[in-house]
Amino acid sequence: MTTATQCIFCSIARDTANPDVLYRDDRCFVVRDINPKSPVHLLVIPNMHIASLAYVGPGQVPVMGHLFVVAEEMARRENVTLSGYRLTLNQGPDAQQTIAHPHVHLMGGRQLGDMG
Ligand code: AMP
Ligand code: ZN
């Protein structure tokens, strides 16, 4: 299991001077995906390392809900609120999750295909 000391998203969270961070507050931060799948492809990432959604309980509801509030704010900044966008949170192997620190993908700027 990836620990917080090995986790790439935790290292970005710790680097408060990282110029790639588009948005930051006390609960989350936002970066552009390094391998974008759409013209707008951002990641909204909690500061806290949570190895799996299995560890999300009532105590994490404020931070997890906040990710969606920040995603909408970022969509507005990226001018995709009217054209539309997709929020995706991959969990586990079948969803092809590659980084074991929860993150919401915000994708837009083109017609997105069917989910599948
Ligand atoms: P997932 O497959 O849902 O775990 O998504 C992980 C995403 O993180 C992928 O879309 C990667 O392209 C992206 N990614 C990996 N490393 C970085 C990084 N250092 N900065 C920004 N995005 C990254
Ligand atoms: Zn982490």
Side-chain angles (χ1 to χ4, degrees), residues 2-4 6-11 46-50 99-102:
T2 309
T3 66
Q6 302 161 325
C7 173
I8 180 67
F9 289 167
C10 281
S11 65
N47 294 334
M48 181 196 315
H49 185 85
I50 306 171
I99 298 188
H101 178 138

